Each structure stands twice: as structure tokens, then as C-alpha cells.
Amino acid sequence: MLGRRMANTTKITPEEWLETAKQALIQDGVAGVKVDRLAKTLGVTRGGFYHHFKNQQDIIDRLVQHWVDTNDMLPPLEGVSTATEAADKLHELVQRVVLEEDFSSSFDLAIREWARIDEQIKKTVDRVDAGRIRRLKKLFLALGCDEEEAAFRARVFYFHQIGYYAMGYHTRQTRSKRLTAAPIYLHILCGQRYSEAVEKSNRKWA
Amino acid sequence: MLGRRMANTTKITPEEWLETAKQALIQDGVAGVKVDRLAKTLGVTRGGFYHHFKNQQDIIDRLVQHWVDTNDMLPPLEGVSTATEAADKLHELVQRVVLEEDFSSSFDLAIREWARIDEQIKKTVDRVDAGRIRRLKKLFLALGCDEEEAAFRARVFYFHQIGYYAMGYHTRQTRSKRLTAAPIYLHILCGQRYSEAVEKSNRKWA
DNA sequence: TCAATATAATACAATAGTGTATTTTTAACT
DNA sequence: AGTTAAAAATACACTATTGTATTATATTGA
């Protein structure tokens, strides 16, 4: 019984295999997602793996799908029409990306790296990115930007967030520091319309 | 003689090994930098490799150093003091990052991925990033920003550029399209001070 | 309790990759 | 041309990893 995994179940579910693969991907990159290493991590031999997954590619495919299904960087942005609502949504968004609730930037990053060398994964990531940028654009339209400005600001905002995570900057600062800095980033990235909406909102409550 | 590499020299220099490793890293990621694969690419056996490099780690270390020495994203930014000079430098910078002269974003990206899982490489990349951001900050100071704004804008500018490359956006658009879009990105990212400096500069020439 | 089923362990054959030691070839220099 | 030194080829022993097939062991449920 020595050297066995913590879990109380003696049989390993597909979800456990998948979660282990996810952690391996995050910690060791693509090279870490090896069937025998996952088994070692789980404290079993590879025997059971092939009951749940056809082969290595199978768990990889499911891991990418898992990312699509569970790791949305943005909160729901639907039903935003006024500039004030848009500004509020932006605050909510910043809360999410800073606190990383229901979202793992390291998972996002790891998948993104994989996408760079795997054409299939790249297509999936591109689709997800396009969707996120589309949703952000709507936010900037609600803020009062014209089509072109909204399109550009959505991209700049998103690229910046991706770069921020890619640099691992968020791991070097405390949450409170990041939350303090967030409004400054917002003013830089979201422009005049945003600053006006915030000021208006502040006057209302003052 | 069939199936041999193009090069006219029959012996392979350390530089050729290094260049092959670089291309392998860019195309296949970390997993591509394997001694036997490099040899296969060069059309030789691994025999000669160990004359030039102590082992696999050795070529990896030199590859990272090669990145530090040759792949600076930013042009020289020294000696900028006025807002107009700063604005000009920003244009030069954008030319460089868009046209990718003397700089390979895919190399940068590949090294950055490696840094995420290798603590040693991460330290090097962090040092380089800090230097680049410091130089950008000086540019924003010259533009007339105060300390805090300059620091934030430098980071936003840099994060955005990293994210832009990470998304592979530049591979989907023509150079001329990117050059047309560049001023818009600049106005968003560099703020009021930049727009003023550009306007002033335009009036001077009009 | 016993049978059925799911999962785990074990054993096997194969590939890819590492590093070292030895021999052969090639280029360069007198 | 003959010597020397560098690089390439070859051979070896070793580790990591994959996938399949077979056997063993738990869990579940009649």
C-alpha cells in the first residue's frame, strides 16, 4: 500500500486520467503527457489506461475538448447594451482574469503552446480566440465605439491579456496589487469612452 | 551521394548544428531538439555532434544564448529625449516588429514556451524581458508621461506585442495590411501624448 | 456467494533517443 | 605524397515510451 495515490477510490476514472494529463501538460508541457508517466503519477501501471482511451492521441483530443468546455477566459458578456453596463462588465471581466476564478491561465497557455506545433489544435484554439474577440468587440460597441475602434480595441485588449499571461507576470504579484493595478490597465486599454462611462457611474454614486 | 544535404561543405560546423536546432525548436517545439533528429536533418549520423557539443544540454544552453545575442525585438532606443523623437522611434519600432527584420517572432515564441517549463531558461527570458520593458519605459518618459504612466504603458505595449505574436495573428495578414493597421494600434497603446506628438510632427511637414 | 465485468498488473515486442568508445574517412598542412 | 587532426560512421549498452495480449484482482449485483 506504500507509495500509492491519495484518492480513496481504488479504480481510476477517465476523469482522473484526464485531470492528471492536464496537470502534466501544465507542469511539463507537451512532453509531459506520456501514458506511462501519467500512470506513475496515479500510482498504477498503464494497464487500465487503454480501457478508457483508445491510445495517447485519444486522451490528447479529449484534453483539448476539455479545455474548450471548461476554460473560458471571459465571463458571460451577453445582454450588454449601455455604456455603463459595458463598463461594469469590464470590471467583472478584470475580476475574473485577475482572480482566475473558473479559469486557469496556465492551462490556457499550455494548450496555446501545443497549438503552435499541432495544426489540429491550432484550428480549435483559433476558433475559440475568434469567439472571445467577437464577444469583446460587442462590449466595446456597447461602450460607444464605432465598428473599427471596437474591433481594434477588442483585439488589443485580448492580445494584451494573452501576453500578460504568457509573461507569467501575474505569478509575481499579489492579488491585491493586481487588483489595484487593474483600473489603470483598463483606462489604457479601453480608452476615452470607458473613462467617461466610469466617471458618469462614479458621479451617480457620489 | 544521394540524399545528402545541400551545403557545399562536407563537414558540419557548430553553427550549422545550432541553426538546425533553432529550426527544429521553431517547427516542432522542445520535443524537436533531439540530437539524432538534428543529425538526420543534416544528413549525417550523430558521430560528429559530440565533437562540438558536450551533450544535448550543451546545445540547448548555446541556443538560448544565441537567442539572447541575436533576437532583440526592439531597435536601439538610446538617446531619445524629445516627444517627437520618441514618436519617431515608436514608428521605427513598429516597422521592425511588423516586418520582423533582424528578429524572428517564432524563435522568440519557441524560447518563451521553453522558459515556462525550464526554470533556468525562464530566468534568462525574464532578464531579457525586464530590459526590453525598461527601454520602452524610457521612450514613454521621453514622450512626456509621468513615471507611473510610462511604466504601465511600457508593460501594456510589450504584453500586447507578445500576445500578438503568441496568437500568430501576424501570419494571417499581409505586410501592407499590418503596416496600415500599425498607426491605429499605436494610438490605442501609446495614448494622448503620442497622438499629440504625431499631430505636431504632421503640422510641421504639412 | 458466485458470476460478470471492469480495471489493474504483467509480459512482450517494438521504436526513439541518449551517450561513449572505436574505427574510418576527409581536409588541411608540410 | 604523407602526416595529422577533425569529423563522420559504426557499434554498443542503456533508458523511456508505445501499444497489445494475457492474466489477476476487485466491485457490483443477481
Side-chain angles (χ1 to χ4, degrees), chain A residues 80-119:
Chain A
V80 172
S81 48
T82 71
T84 317
E85 280 169 2
D88 286 347
K89 270 289 173 192
L90 280 168
H91 291 137
E92 192 185 323
L93 200 166
V94 164
Q95 289 283 321
R96 189 186 179 94
V97 298
V98 168
L99 301 177
E100 289 198 33
E101 286 159 1
D102 308 312
F103 169 73
S104 157
S105 66
S106 52
F107 190 24
D108 205 74
L109 214 46
I111 289 283
R112 216 163 277 283
E113 288 169 14
W114 215 339
R116 199 180 65 80
I117 56 170
D118 184 311
E119 199 51 46

Side-chain angles (χ1 to χ4, degrees), chain A residues 4 11-12 44-45 47-48 51-52:
Chain A
R4 273 183 111 72
K11 300 211 172 172
I12 288 156
V44 295
T45 60
H51 284 272
H52 303 298

Side-chain angles (χ1 to χ4, degrees), chain B residues 10-11 34-37 46 50 55-56:
Chain B
T10 156
K11 299 209 172 174
K34 304 280 156 138
V35 180
D36 70 331
R37 287 207 217 170
R46 298 175 299 127
Y50 294 94
N55 51 27
Q56 192 192 26

Side-chain angles (χ1 to χ4, degrees), chain A residues 188 192, chain B residues 140 143 145 149 153 186-199:
Chain A
I188 290 177
Q192 198 56 33
Chain B
F140 283 104
L143 209 54
C145 298
E149 187 180 352
R153 286 209 182 270
L186 278 174
H187 278 286
I188 290 178
L189 289 166
C190 301
Q192 197 58 32
R193 304 269 180 192
Y194 166 78
S195 302
E196 282 164 13
V198 168
E199 214 175 286

Side-chain angles (χ1 to χ4, degrees), chain B residues 19 33 44 47-48 50 73 77 85 117 121 134 147 153-154 169 180 197:
Chain B
E19 179 59 26
V33 187
V44 295
Y50 294 94
M73 191 163 105
L77 301 176
E85 281 169 2
I117 56 170
I121 299 180
R134 204 180 316 117
E147 273 288 325
R153 286 209 182 270
Y169 224 75
T180 316

Side-chain angles (χ1 to χ4, degrees), chain B residues 14-195:
Chain B
E15 285 72 28
E16 286 179 272
W17 282 106
L18 212 55
E19 179 59 26
T20 308
K22 175 180 165 181
Q23 293 309 324
L25 174 66
I26 291 173
Q27 280 178 32
D28 306 321
V30 189
V33 187
K34 304 280 156 138
V35 180
D36 70 331
R37 287 207 217 170
L38 302 182
K40 212 166 276 176
T41 303
L42 285 164
V44 295
T45 59
R46 298 175 299 127
F49 176 86
Y50 294 94
H51 284 272
H52 303 297
F53 305 94
K54 191 168 165 289
N55 51 27
Q56 192 192 26
Q57 190 59 46
D58 189 20
I59 196 173
I60 286 172
D61 292 343
R62 288 208 230 167
L63 191 53
V64 174
Q65 190 54 48
H66 180 63
W67 172 77
V68 172
D69 294 340
T70 68
N71 216 53
D72 193 348
M73 191 163 105
L74 309 179
L77 301 176
E78 284 70 44
V80 173
S81 49
T82 71
T84 318
E85 281 169 2
D88 286 347
K89 270 291 173 191
L90 281 167
H91 291 138
E92 192 186 324
L93 200 165
V94 164
Q95 289 284 322
R96 189 188 180 91
V97 299
V98 168
L99 301 177
E100 288 197 33
E101 287 159 1
D102 309 310
F103 169 72
S104 157
S105 66
S106 52
F107 189 24
D108 204 74
L109 213 47
I111 289 284
R112 214 163 279 282
E113 288 170 14
W114 216 340
R116 198 180 66 80
I117 56 170
D118 184 312
E119 199 51 44
Q120 201 57 43
I121 299 180
K122 182 170 160 48
K123 273 183 194 153
T124 303
V125 172
D126 281 351
R127 202 163 352 102
V128 167
D129 282 337
R132 291 181 186 172
I133 291 174
R134 204 180 316 117
R135 286 152 70 200
L136 281 172
K137 184 183 166 189
K138 280 189 190 158
L139 218 54
F140 283 104
L141 285 173
L143 209 54
C145 298
D146 63 33
E147 273 288 325
E148 190 191 47
E149 187 180 352
F152 270 91
R153 286 209 182 270
R155 265 174 290 179
V156 167
F157 191 99
Y158 191 64
F159 293 168
H160 171 267
Q161 195 56 41
I162 295 293
Y164 180 81
Y165 284 140
M167 298 263 310
Y169 224 75
H170 58 304
T171 63
R172 286 178 246 169
Q173 289 184 306
T174 62
R175 295 199 161 190
S176 68
K177 262 236 168 103
R178 281 180 277 152
L179 281 172
T180 316
I184 306 177
Y185 283 114
L186 278 174
H187 278 286
I188 290 178
L189 289 166
C190 301
Q192 197 58 32
R193 304 269 180 192
Y194 166 78
S195 302

Side-chain angles (χ1 to χ4, degrees), chain A residues 41-102:
Chain A
T41 302
L42 285 164
V44 295
T45 60
R46 298 174 300 125
F49 175 86
Y50 293 95
H51 284 272
H52 303 298
F53 305 94
K54 192 168 164 288
N55 50 28
Q56 191 193 26
Q57 189 59 46
D58 189 20
I59 196 173
I60 285 171
D61 293 344
R62 287 206 230 168
L63 191 53
V64 174
Q65 191 54 47
H66 180 64
W67 172 77
V68 173
D69 294 340
T70 67
N71 215 53
D72 194 348
M73 191 164 105
L74 309 178
L77 301 176
E78 284 71 43
V80 172
S81 48
T82 71
T84 317
E85 280 169 2
D88 286 347
K89 270 289 173 192
L90 280 168
H91 291 137
E92 192 185 323
L93 200 166
V94 164
Q95 289 283 321
R96 189 186 179 94
V97 298
V98 168
L99 301 177
E100 289 198 33
E101 286 159 1
D102 308 312

